[in-house]
Amino acid sequence: MSEFERASPWLAAALTAEDTRPLWTLADVRADLEARQAHLWMGDKSCMVTTISDFPGAQERIIECWLAGGDMSEIKSMIAPLEDWARRVGCTQAHVTGRKGWVRALAPFGYEHYATTVRKLLA
């Protein structure tokens, strides 16, 4: 069984948690991973998906976790190694995109509320 296949139940649950119209499918996530546009971080009971974006004008390189699923305590234990790796590859910021609960969950690790996204379904 591949890492993606093992991660798929956690990712599927995260994609549809509180969202009847997720922006990605498992096939989309797999395609991004296979194209090396995203990175899969695996634990024993959880996983995270990240991308890196460069902002040359601001001289910032940001690692963004935009999908995570599985055991929350294990996800939290993966934060420090992920941040260490991000620093080694030149990242200057770490962002997490997700539901409001991440603000509270990650506050003990020094994360703070940065932006709010609102949406309206038009069709």
Side-chain angles (χ1 to χ4, degrees):
M1 175 183 294
S2 73
E3 285 191 336
F4 181 81
E5 290 168 329
R6 194 164 64 87
S8 289
W10 303 318
L11 297 174
L15 286 169
T16 58
E18 300 179 27
D19 194 349
T20 58
R21 287 177 49 183
L23 298 176
W24 296 275
T25 65
L26 276 177
D28 297 328
V29 176
R30 177 178 225 141
D32 280 356
L33 293 168
E34 288 175 352
R36 300 190 183 271
Q37 294 174 332
H39 184 81
L40 180 63
W41 299 84
M42 289 296 298
D44 292 329
K45 303 175 284 183
S46 59
C47 63
M48 296 185 284
V49 178
T50 62
T51 56
I52 293 179
S53 299
D54 291 301
F55 295 84
Q59 297 182 345
E60 300 285 349
R61 185 168 217 213
I62 297 172
I63 187 166
E64 181 176 9
C65 178
W66 54 272
L67 184 60
D71 182 76
M72 179 58 81
S73 61
E74 184 177 63
I75 290 170
K76 290 178 180 180
S77 75
M78 295 166 67
I79 292 170
L82 185 146
E83 290 175 350
D84 289 343
W85 178 85
R87 284 184 194 96
R88 285 194 305 275
V89 298
C91 291
T92 57
Q93 295 186 36
H95 292 193
V96 176
T97 299
R99 295 179 307 281
K100 289 188 285 187
W102 286 107
V103 174
R104 184 181 67 252
L106 298 180
F109 300 91
Y111 286 77
E112 61 187 10
H113 180 263
Y114 171 67
T116 302
T117 300
V118 297
R119 83 172 180 182
K120 178 179 180 179
L121 302 176
L122 300 177

